[in-house]
Amino acid sequence: MPGRVRRPDPLSTHEPAEEAGRRPAPSGGLAMLQQTAGNRAVAALVAQRAPAAAQAPVAGPQAPAPWWPQGPTVARKQNSTPLAQYVAWVKEVEAAYPGKAEVIHRLRRLYYSNFVAGAPGGAKGMNPSGTAGPKFDKAIDGDDAVVPMTSPPVSQAALNGLFATDNVVTPAGETLDPAHFLPALDLALQGASTLGGGLQEVSGAPLTGVFTWTGDLASWFVDWSDHKKKNPAANDIALLNARMNSKVSMEDLLSDMDAQIMVKSEVAVNDHWQDGGSPDFPGTMVRDRSLNRPLSDILQSFYGTPAGQPARPNVPNRFARFVQAAVPAIPYRIPDPTKPHEVRLAADARKAIHAALYAAAEALFEGSNIITRPGTPDALDDYPHILTEITRRFHEYLEKGLANGSAPWP
Protein backbone atom coordinates (compact mmCIF):
# COMPACT_ATOMS: atom_id res chain seq x y z
CA MET A 1 0.00 0.00 0.00
CA PRO A 2 1.76 3.17 -1.16
CA GLY A 3 2.66 5.61 1.54
CA ARG A 4 1.58 3.35 4.37
CA VAL A 5 3.57 3.62 7.57
CA ARG A 6 3.91 0.22 9.22
CA ARG A 7 3.24 0.41 12.91
CA PRO A 8 4.23 -1.79 15.84
CA ASP A 9 1.56 -3.87 17.55
CA PRO A 10 -0.54 -1.97 20.10
CA LEU A 11 0.75 -4.16 22.94
CA SER A 12 4.37 -4.21 21.82
CA THR A 13 7.07 -4.76 24.44
CA HIS A 14 7.81 -1.65 26.46
CA GLU A 15 10.61 -1.15 28.91
CA PRO A 16 9.09 -0.45 32.35
CA ALA A 17 10.00 2.66 34.23
CA GLU A 18 12.70 2.33 36.84
CA GLU A 19 11.47 1.59 40.33
CA ALA A 20 13.71 4.18 41.94
CA GLY A 21 12.11 7.57 42.32
CA ARG A 22 8.65 6.23 41.54
CA ARG A 23 5.89 8.52 42.71
CA PRO A 24 2.50 7.43 44.02
CA ALA A 25 -0.59 7.97 41.92
CA PRO A 26 -1.81 11.54 42.08
CA SER A 27 -5.19 12.36 43.53
CA GLY A 28 -7.92 11.52 41.02
CA GLY A 29 -5.53 9.34 38.99
CA LEU A 30 -4.90 5.62 39.06
CA ALA A 31 -5.92 5.23 42.71
CA MET A 32 -9.41 6.39 41.80
CA LEU A 33 -9.54 4.25 38.67
CA GLN A 34 -8.53 1.15 40.61
CA GLN A 35 -11.68 1.43 42.68
CA THR A 36 -13.72 1.51 40.20
CA ALA A 37 -8.34 -27.01 16.39
CA GLY A 38 -8.29 -32.07 8.54
CA ASN A 39 -9.63 -34.90 7.31
CA ARG A 40 -10.38 -35.70 3.66
CA ALA A 41 -14.10 -35.07 3.91
CA VAL A 42 -13.57 -31.58 5.26
CA ALA A 43 -10.80 -30.88 2.75
CA ALA A 44 -13.09 -31.99 -0.09
CA LEU A 45 -15.88 -29.77 1.22
CA VAL A 46 -13.54 -26.80 1.35
CA ALA A 47 -12.39 -27.47 -2.21
CA GLN A 48 -16.01 -27.50 -3.39
CA ARG A 49 -17.03 -24.35 -1.54
CA ALA A 50 -13.93 -22.19 -1.95
CA PRO A 51 -14.07 -19.76 -4.89
CA ALA A 52 -11.31 -19.82 -7.46
CA ALA A 53 -10.05 -16.47 -6.17
CA ALA A 54 -9.00 -18.15 -2.93
CA GLN A 55 -6.25 -19.99 -4.85
CA ALA A 56 -4.54 -16.76 -5.91
CA PRO A 57 -0.81 -16.79 -5.07
CA VAL A 58 0.25 -14.65 -2.16
CA ALA A 59 2.87 -12.02 -2.82
CA GLY A 60 5.67 -11.28 -0.40
CA PRO A 61 8.66 -12.94 1.23
CA GLN A 62 8.58 -16.71 1.65
CA ALA A 63 9.49 -18.22 5.01
CA PRO A 64 12.46 -20.63 5.17
CA ALA A 65 10.07 -23.10 6.84
CA PRO A 66 6.40 -23.11 7.93
CA TRP A 67 5.73 -21.06 11.03
CA TRP A 68 4.43 -24.29 12.60
CA PRO A 69 3.76 -27.76 11.13
CA GLN A 70 1.32 -27.32 8.21
CA GLY A 71 1.28 -23.61 8.97
CA PRO A 72 1.74 -20.47 6.84
CA THR A 73 4.87 -20.15 4.70
CA VAL A 74 4.93 -16.39 4.10
CA ALA A 75 5.75 -13.27 6.07
CA ARG A 76 3.19 -12.04 8.59
CA LYS A 77 1.04 -8.94 7.96
CA GLN A 78 2.65 -7.60 4.77
CA ASN A 79 -0.10 -7.15 2.18
CA SER A 80 -3.22 -5.15 1.37
CA THR A 81 -6.09 -7.50 0.44
CA PRO A 82 -9.36 -6.60 -1.33
CA LEU A 83 -12.43 -7.25 0.79
CA ALA A 84 -13.89 -9.86 -1.61
CA GLN A 85 -10.70 -11.92 -1.49
CA TYR A 86 -10.41 -11.68 2.28
CA VAL A 87 -14.06 -12.76 2.73
CA ALA A 88 -13.46 -15.72 0.39
CA TRP A 89 -10.55 -16.86 2.54
CA VAL A 90 -12.60 -16.44 5.72
CA LYS A 91 -15.33 -18.61 4.18
CA GLU A 92 -12.76 -21.37 3.72
CA VAL A 93 -11.93 -21.21 7.39
CA GLU A 94 -15.64 -21.28 8.29
CA ALA A 95 -16.11 -24.40 6.14
CA ALA A 96 -13.07 -26.09 7.68
CA TYR A 97 -13.65 -25.44 11.37
CA PRO A 98 -16.94 -25.83 13.25
CA GLY A 99 -18.41 -22.99 15.26
CA LYS A 100 -18.51 -19.25 14.64
CA ALA A 101 -16.67 -18.48 17.88
CA GLU A 102 -13.94 -21.00 17.07
CA VAL A 103 -13.37 -19.30 13.71
CA ILE A 104 -12.90 -15.96 15.45
CA HIS A 105 -10.54 -17.52 18.00
CA ARG A 106 -8.41 -19.19 15.32
CA LEU A 107 -8.23 -16.09 13.16
CA ARG A 108 -7.27 -13.91 16.10
CA ARG A 109 -4.51 -16.36 17.06
CA LEU A 110 -3.31 -16.42 13.44
CA TYR A 111 -2.37 -12.77 13.92
CA TYR A 112 -1.74 -12.57 17.66
CA SER A 113 -0.65 -15.65 19.64
CA ASN A 114 2.35 -17.49 21.07
CA PHE A 115 2.93 -18.99 17.61
CA VAL A 116 3.70 -15.63 15.97
CA ALA A 117 6.02 -14.14 18.57
CA GLY A 118 9.13 -14.62 16.45
CA ALA A 119 9.81 -15.92 12.93
CA PRO A 120 10.76 -19.31 11.43
CA GLY A 121 14.45 -19.85 12.02
CA GLY A 122 14.76 -16.27 13.19
CA ALA A 123 14.46 -15.05 9.59
CA LYS A 124 14.53 -11.26 9.25
CA GLY A 125 11.65 -9.35 7.69
CA MET A 126 9.09 -12.08 8.39
CA ASN A 127 7.37 -10.44 11.34
CA PRO A 128 7.67 -6.67 10.94
CA SER A 129 4.86 -5.58 13.23
CA GLY A 130 6.04 -6.75 16.62
CA THR A 131 5.99 -9.58 19.12
CA ALA A 132 2.82 -8.85 21.08
CA GLY A 133 1.07 -12.16 20.26
CA PRO A 134 1.73 -13.95 23.56
CA LYS A 135 0.19 -11.07 25.48
CA PHE A 136 -3.15 -11.60 23.74
CA ASP A 137 -3.05 -15.33 24.56
CA LYS A 138 -2.36 -14.47 28.18
CA ALA A 139 -5.16 -11.92 28.43
CA ILE A 140 -7.91 -13.82 26.56
CA ASP A 141 -9.28 -17.13 27.83
CA GLY A 142 -8.94 -20.29 25.70
CA ASP A 143 -6.50 -23.04 24.71
CA ASP A 144 -3.12 -21.47 23.99
CA ALA A 145 -1.35 -24.74 23.07
CA VAL A 146 -3.23 -25.56 19.84
CA VAL A 147 -1.85 -24.07 16.62
CA PRO A 148 -4.13 -21.38 15.14
CA MET A 149 -4.94 -23.25 11.89
CA THR A 150 -3.33 -25.60 9.38
CA SER A 151 -3.36 -26.67 5.72
CA PRO A 152 -5.25 -28.94 5.34
CA PRO A 153 -8.12 -28.46 6.12
CA VAL A 154 -7.68 -24.86 4.91
CA SER A 155 -5.93 -24.48 1.54
CA GLN A 156 -2.34 -23.24 1.72
CA ALA A 157 -3.31 -20.29 -0.48
CA ALA A 158 -6.02 -19.17 1.94
CA LEU A 159 -3.86 -19.74 5.01
CA ASN A 160 -0.97 -17.78 3.52
CA GLY A 161 -3.29 -15.06 2.25
CA LEU A 162 -4.92 -14.47 5.61
CA PHE A 163 -1.59 -14.56 7.44
CA ALA A 164 0.03 -12.08 5.05
CA THR A 165 -2.86 -9.60 5.21
CA ASP A 166 -2.00 -6.40 7.00
CA ASN A 167 -5.09 -4.50 5.92
CA VAL A 168 -8.31 -5.06 3.99
CA VAL A 169 -9.35 -2.63 1.26
CA THR A 170 -13.10 -2.06 0.97
CA PRO A 171 -14.97 -1.26 -2.29
CA ALA A 172 -15.15 2.34 -1.08
CA GLY A 173 -11.37 2.50 -0.78
CA GLU A 174 -11.12 2.45 3.01
CA THR A 175 -8.36 0.38 4.56
CA LEU A 176 -9.12 -1.56 7.74
CA ASP A 177 -7.03 -3.82 9.93
CA PRO A 178 -8.70 -7.15 10.88
CA ALA A 179 -6.14 -7.56 13.66
CA HIS A 180 -7.98 -4.75 15.44
CA PHE A 181 -11.50 -6.18 15.49
CA LEU A 182 -10.61 -9.90 15.86
CA PRO A 183 -9.15 -9.54 19.39
CA ALA A 184 -12.18 -7.54 20.54
CA LEU A 185 -14.58 -10.16 19.15
CA ASP A 186 -12.51 -13.02 20.58
CA LEU A 187 -12.45 -11.39 24.00
CA ALA A 188 -16.22 -10.87 23.92
CA LEU A 189 -16.78 -14.54 23.01
CA GLN A 190 -14.11 -16.26 25.13
CA GLY A 191 -13.92 -13.90 28.06
CA ALA A 192 -10.84 -12.61 29.81
CA SER A 193 -8.32 -15.00 31.33
CA THR A 194 -7.59 -14.87 35.05
CA LEU A 195 -4.61 -12.62 34.33
CA GLY A 196 -6.59 -10.45 31.94
CA GLY A 197 -9.42 -10.10 34.40
CA GLY A 198 -7.00 -9.11 37.15
CA LEU A 199 -5.38 -6.51 34.91
CA GLN A 200 -8.77 -4.99 34.15
CA GLU A 201 -9.77 -4.90 37.79
CA VAL A 202 -6.62 -3.28 39.10
CA SER A 203 -5.97 -0.81 36.29
CA GLY A 204 -9.56 0.17 35.61
CA ALA A 205 -8.80 -0.31 31.90
CA PRO A 206 -11.25 -2.73 30.20
CA LEU A 207 -9.44 -5.01 27.75
CA THR A 208 -12.10 -4.31 25.12
CA GLY A 209 -10.83 -0.75 25.13
CA VAL A 210 -7.13 -1.63 25.45
CA PHE A 211 -7.44 -3.90 22.38
CA THR A 212 -9.07 -1.05 20.42
CA TRP A 213 -9.42 2.71 20.86
CA THR A 214 -8.00 3.39 24.31
CA GLY A 215 -5.06 1.07 23.66
CA ASP A 216 -4.14 2.74 20.37
CA LEU A 217 -4.46 6.26 21.72
CA ALA A 218 -2.60 5.40 24.92
CA SER A 219 0.14 3.63 22.97
CA TRP A 220 0.63 6.92 21.12
CA PHE A 221 1.44 8.53 24.46
CA VAL A 222 3.72 5.63 25.49
CA ASP A 223 5.55 5.79 22.16
CA TRP A 224 5.91 9.58 22.46
CA SER A 225 7.42 9.26 25.93
CA ASP A 226 9.94 6.67 24.70
CA HIS A 227 11.12 9.01 21.94
CA LYS A 228 11.13 12.00 24.26
CA LYS A 229 13.57 10.17 26.53
CA LYS A 230 15.86 9.63 23.54
CA ASN A 231 15.59 13.24 22.42
CA PRO A 232 14.68 15.49 25.37
CA ALA A 233 15.18 18.64 23.31
CA ALA A 234 12.49 17.67 20.78
CA ASN A 235 9.47 19.94 20.57
CA ASP A 236 6.66 18.14 22.37
CA ILE A 237 3.86 18.74 19.86
CA ALA A 238 6.07 18.29 16.80
CA LEU A 239 7.20 14.94 18.20
CA LEU A 240 3.60 13.96 18.93
CA ASN A 241 2.62 14.75 15.34
CA ALA A 242 5.60 12.84 13.98
CA ARG A 243 4.73 9.69 15.95
CA MET A 244 0.97 9.64 15.28
CA ASN A 245 0.71 7.41 12.20
CA SER A 246 3.08 4.82 13.64
CA LYS A 247 0.68 4.20 16.53
CA VAL A 248 -2.81 5.48 15.75
CA SER A 249 -3.48 6.11 12.07
CA MET A 250 -6.91 6.75 10.57
CA GLU A 251 -6.98 3.06 9.58
CA ASP A 252 -6.40 2.14 13.19
CA LEU A 253 -9.13 4.39 14.52
CA LEU A 254 -11.76 3.26 12.01
CA SER A 255 -10.93 -0.38 12.75
CA ASP A 256 -11.11 0.31 16.48
CA MET A 257 -14.50 1.98 16.18
CA ASP A 258 -15.87 -0.83 14.02
CA ALA A 259 -14.57 -3.41 16.51
CA GLN A 260 -16.64 -1.83 19.26
CA ILE A 261 -19.71 -1.68 17.01
CA MET A 262 -19.27 -5.35 16.05
CA VAL A 263 -19.04 -6.46 19.67
CA LYS A 264 -22.17 -4.50 20.56
CA SER A 265 -24.27 -5.58 17.58
CA GLU A 266 -22.98 -9.07 16.73
CA VAL A 267 -22.23 -10.78 20.08
CA ALA A 268 -25.25 -12.17 21.94
CA VAL A 269 -25.02 -12.66 25.69
CA ASN A 270 -27.40 -15.00 27.53
CA ASP A 271 -27.33 -15.33 31.31
CA HIS A 272 -29.15 -18.39 32.65
CA TRP A 273 -29.31 -20.53 35.76
CA GLN A 274 -27.55 -23.92 35.64
CA ASP A 275 -28.85 -26.43 38.19
CA GLY A 276 -26.12 -27.99 40.31
CA GLY A 277 -28.07 -31.22 40.86
CA SER A 278 -27.59 -31.50 44.61
CA PRO A 279 -28.66 -29.69 47.80
CA ASP A 280 -25.01 -28.93 48.56
CA PHE A 281 -24.55 -27.26 45.19
CA PRO A 282 -27.88 -25.83 44.07
CA GLY A 283 -26.47 -24.25 40.94
CA THR A 284 -24.88 -21.16 39.49
CA MET A 285 -25.52 -18.39 37.03
CA VAL A 286 -23.89 -19.12 33.64
CA ARG A 287 -23.16 -16.61 30.91
CA ASP A 288 -23.25 -17.91 27.34
CA ARG A 289 -21.80 -15.81 24.53
CA SER A 290 -22.39 -16.42 20.83
CA LEU A 291 -21.85 -14.72 17.49
CA ASN A 292 -25.08 -13.81 15.73
CA ARG A 293 -23.79 -14.75 12.27
CA PRO A 294 -20.58 -15.93 10.57
CA LEU A 295 -17.69 -13.47 10.36
CA SER A 296 -17.85 -13.52 6.54
CA ASP A 297 -21.43 -12.24 6.73
CA ILE A 298 -20.45 -9.55 9.22
CA LEU A 299 -17.63 -8.29 7.00
CA GLN A 300 -19.83 -8.26 3.92
CA SER A 301 -22.58 -6.44 5.79
CA PHE A 302 -20.26 -3.80 7.22
CA TYR A 303 -18.07 -3.14 4.20
CA GLY A 304 -19.47 -4.83 1.09
CA THR A 305 -21.47 -3.16 -1.63
CA PRO A 306 -24.87 -4.62 -2.61
CA ALA A 307 -25.13 -5.58 -6.26
CA GLY A 308 -26.03 -2.66 -8.48
CA GLN A 309 -25.31 -0.03 -5.84
CA PRO A 310 -22.40 2.42 -5.57
CA ALA A 311 -19.71 1.79 -2.99
CA ARG A 312 -20.59 3.12 0.44
CA PRO A 313 -18.20 5.73 1.83
CA ASN A 314 -18.18 4.17 5.29
CA VAL A 315 -20.12 2.09 7.79
CA PRO A 316 -23.54 3.76 8.15
CA ASN A 317 -23.75 5.93 11.27
CA ARG A 318 -20.27 4.80 12.30
CA PHE A 319 -19.54 7.62 14.72
CA ALA A 320 -22.92 7.50 16.44
CA ARG A 321 -22.87 3.72 16.73
CA PHE A 322 -19.34 3.80 18.12
CA VAL A 323 -20.09 6.36 20.79
CA GLN A 324 -23.21 4.43 21.85
CA ALA A 325 -21.26 1.14 21.99
CA ALA A 326 -17.96 2.41 23.38
CA VAL A 327 -16.18 0.55 26.18
CA PRO A 328 -15.10 2.30 28.30
CA ALA A 329 -18.24 4.40 28.06
CA ILE A 330 -18.16 7.82 26.43
CA PRO A 331 -21.01 9.99 27.78
CA TYR A 332 -23.38 11.15 25.06
CA ARG A 333 -26.80 12.65 24.56
CA ILE A 334 -29.54 12.33 21.93
CA PRO A 335 -31.19 15.74 21.53
CA ASP A 336 -34.16 14.37 19.55
CA PRO A 337 -35.40 10.92 20.69
CA THR A 338 -37.06 10.43 17.30
CA LYS A 339 -33.58 10.57 15.69
CA PRO A 340 -31.55 7.98 17.66
CA HIS A 341 -28.52 8.23 15.36
CA GLU A 342 -28.17 11.98 15.85
CA VAL A 343 -25.82 11.63 18.79
CA ARG A 344 -23.80 14.35 20.46
CA LEU A 345 -21.11 14.13 23.13
CA ALA A 346 -22.16 15.03 26.64
CA ALA A 347 -20.48 17.81 28.59
CA ASP A 348 -18.38 15.34 30.58
CA ALA A 349 -17.24 13.27 27.58
CA ARG A 350 -13.76 14.78 27.46
CA LYS A 351 -13.18 14.05 31.14
CA ALA A 352 -14.31 10.43 30.65
CA ILE A 353 -12.05 10.00 27.60
CA HIS A 354 -9.07 11.37 29.51
CA ALA A 355 -9.68 8.99 32.43
CA ALA A 356 -10.00 6.04 30.04
CA LEU A 357 -6.74 6.92 28.24
CA TYR A 358 -4.95 7.49 31.54
CA ALA A 359 -5.90 4.01 32.77
CA ALA A 360 -4.97 2.39 29.45
CA ALA A 361 -1.61 4.17 29.34
CA GLU A 362 -0.84 3.04 32.89
CA ALA A 363 -1.73 -0.55 31.93
CA LEU A 364 0.52 -0.42 28.85
CA PHE A 365 3.44 1.02 30.82
CA GLU A 366 3.19 -1.60 33.55
CA GLY A 367 1.65 -4.69 31.88
CA SER A 368 1.06 -7.49 34.36
CA ASN A 369 3.35 -5.72 36.86
CA ILE A 370 0.44 -3.44 37.65
CA ILE A 371 -1.17 -6.24 39.68
CA THR A 372 1.70 -6.39 42.17
CA ARG A 373 3.15 -2.90 41.85
CA PRO A 374 0.46 -0.30 41.33
CA GLY A 375 1.53 3.29 40.95
CA THR A 376 1.69 6.02 38.38
CA PRO A 377 4.48 5.74 35.77
CA ASP A 378 6.61 8.83 35.75
CA ALA A 379 5.65 9.87 32.20
CA LEU A 380 2.02 10.26 33.24
CA ASP A 381 3.16 12.63 35.97
CA ASP A 382 5.81 14.44 33.98
CA TYR A 383 3.91 15.04 30.74
CA PRO A 384 0.21 15.44 31.58
CA HIS A 385 -0.16 18.01 28.80
CA ILE A 386 0.55 15.34 26.16
CA LEU A 387 -2.23 13.03 27.34
CA THR A 388 -4.49 16.07 27.56
CA GLU A 389 -3.62 16.97 23.96
CA ILE A 390 -4.34 13.42 22.73
CA THR A 391 -7.65 13.57 24.58
CA ARG A 392 -8.51 16.93 23.01
CA ARG A 393 -7.77 15.66 19.50
CA PHE A 394 -9.86 12.51 19.87
CA HIS A 395 -12.73 14.44 21.42
CA GLU A 396 -12.66 16.89 18.52
CA TYR A 397 -12.48 14.01 16.03
CA LEU A 398 -15.62 12.47 17.53
CA GLU A 399 -17.48 15.77 17.60
CA LYS A 400 -16.78 16.42 13.91
CA GLY A 401 -17.64 12.84 12.98
CA LEU A 402 -20.92 12.95 14.85
CA ALA A 403 -21.86 16.23 13.19
CA ASN A 404 -20.74 15.38 9.63
CA GLY A 405 -20.69 11.57 9.37
CA SER A 406 -16.91 11.53 8.88
CA ALA A 407 -13.92 13.48 10.11
CA PRO A 408 -10.24 14.02 9.36
CA TRP A 409 -7.68 12.68 11.80
CA PRO A 410 -6.33 14.29 13.73
Side-chain angles (χ1 to χ4, degrees):
M1 178 180 174
R4 172 173 167 75
V5 178
R6 188 168 301 282
R7 61 194 178 282
D9 287 330
L11 295 181
S12 59
T13 302
H14 175 78
E15 296 179 3
E18 293 182 0
E19 185 68 20
R22 199 165 194 74
R23 296 188 285 275
S27 174
L30 181 62
M32 176 189 71
L33 292 171
Q34 288 172 336
Q35 296 171 9
T36 51
N39 57 44
R40 291 183 181 177
V42 171
L45 179 60
V46 172
Q48 293 170 5
R49 296 179 59 174
Q55 303 304 316
V58 176
Q62 300 296 301
W67 285 70
W68 53 84
Q70 298 178 288
T73 59
V74 294
R76 172 182 176 268
K77 285 179 66 66
Q78 297 263 344
N79 299 338
S80 295
T81 303
L83 176 68
Q85 177 65 87
Y86 194 82
V87 169
W89 288 333
V90 169
K91 287 183 176 181
E92 275 209 46
V93 179
E94 291 168 343
Y97 295 104
K100 296 187 289 291
E102 181 178 349
V103 168
I104 296 292
H105 191 57
R106 288 180 176 278
L107 282 168
R108 188 273 294 174
R109 300 192 70 243
L110 185 66
Y111 295 116
Y112 291 129
S113 69
N114 296 315
F115 291 90
V116 294
K124 295 182 179 180
M126 301 302 297
N127 194 3
S129 55
T131 58
K135 298 183 180 181
F136 287 82
D137 272 352
K138 290 178 180 178
I140 301 175
D141 206 5
D143 190 347
D144 300 343
V146 178
V147 298
M149 65 181 68
T150 61
S151 175
V154 178
S155 72
Q156 193 68 53
L159 178 55
N160 283 350
L162 290 165
F163 191 69
T165 294
D166 185 49
N167 59 72
V168 174
V169 184
T170 72
E174 285 186 343
T175 57
L176 301 151
D177 188 349
H180 280 250
F181 53 74
L182 286 168
L185 286 171
D186 195 32
L187 176 67
L189 294 165
Q190 302 293 332
S193 67
T194 301
L195 177 63
L199 178 60
Q200 293 182 122
E201 185 68 24
V202 175
S203 70
L207 290 178
T208 302
V210 175
F211 288 169
T212 56
W213 69 279
T214 63
D216 276 348
L217 290 166
S219 70
W220 187 14
F221 176 84
V222 173
D223 177 77
W224 178 91
S225 69
D226 286 343
H227 284 79
K228 184 67 174 179
K229 289 177 184 177
K230 297 174 183 177
N231 185 10
N235 178 274
D236 289 355
I237 300 304
L239 180 59
L240 188 68
N241 293 337
R243 300 307 305 165
M244 182 186 70
N245 281 334
S246 68
K247 301 305 296 186
V248 57
S249 65
M250 174 71 87
E251 174 188 310
D252 295 327
L253 276 184
L254 295 180
S255 304
D256 291 338
M257 293 166 66
D258 294 352
Q260 296 262 331
I261 298 170
M262 288 179 188
V263 169
K264 178 72 172 182
S265 62
E266 302 294 341
V267 177
V269 178
N270 178 35
D271 293 329
H272 62 93
W273 183 261
Q274 182 172 296
D275 193 346
S278 74
D280 295 331
F281 183 65
T284 187
M285 188 65 70
V286 175
R287 170 163 290 184
D288 292 333
R289 305 175 182 91
S290 60
L291 200 62
N292 292 332
R293 49 183 172 165
L295 177 62
S296 58
D297 288 356
I298 296 173
L299 296 176
Q300 192 62 42
S301 173
F302 269 62
Y303 309 117
T305 300
Q309 295 187 19
R312 298 180 302 191
N314 52 40
V315 176
N317 300 306
R318 174 184 270 149
F319 281 82
R321 293 169 69 187
F322 164 69
V323 170
Q324 291 173 302
V327 177
I330 298 175
Y332 66 90
R333 57 189 178 87
I334 302 176
D336 185 347
T338 66
K339 300 176 180 179
H341 289 302
E342 290 190 4
V343 174
R344 296 295 181 264
L345 297 180
D348 56 344
R350 185 178 297 192
K351 181 179 179 180
I353 292 170
H354 186 274
L357 300 188
Y358 184 99
E362 202 277 346
L364 292 181
F365 273 116
E366 295 284 9
S368 60
N369 291 330
I370 192 174
I371 296 177
T372 57
R373 192 182 64 195
T376 305
D378 290 341
L380 284 169
D381 277 355
D382 295 340
Y383 306 109
H385 63 292
I386 296 300
L387 193 65
T388 297
E389 176 64 12
I390 293 172
T391 299
R392 184 196 67 78
R393 294 187 187 193
F394 186 63
H395 183 271
E396 183 177 286
Y397 171 73
L398 291 182
E399 284 193 315
K400 290 181 178 179
L402 289 169
N404 304 314
S406 62
W409 173 252

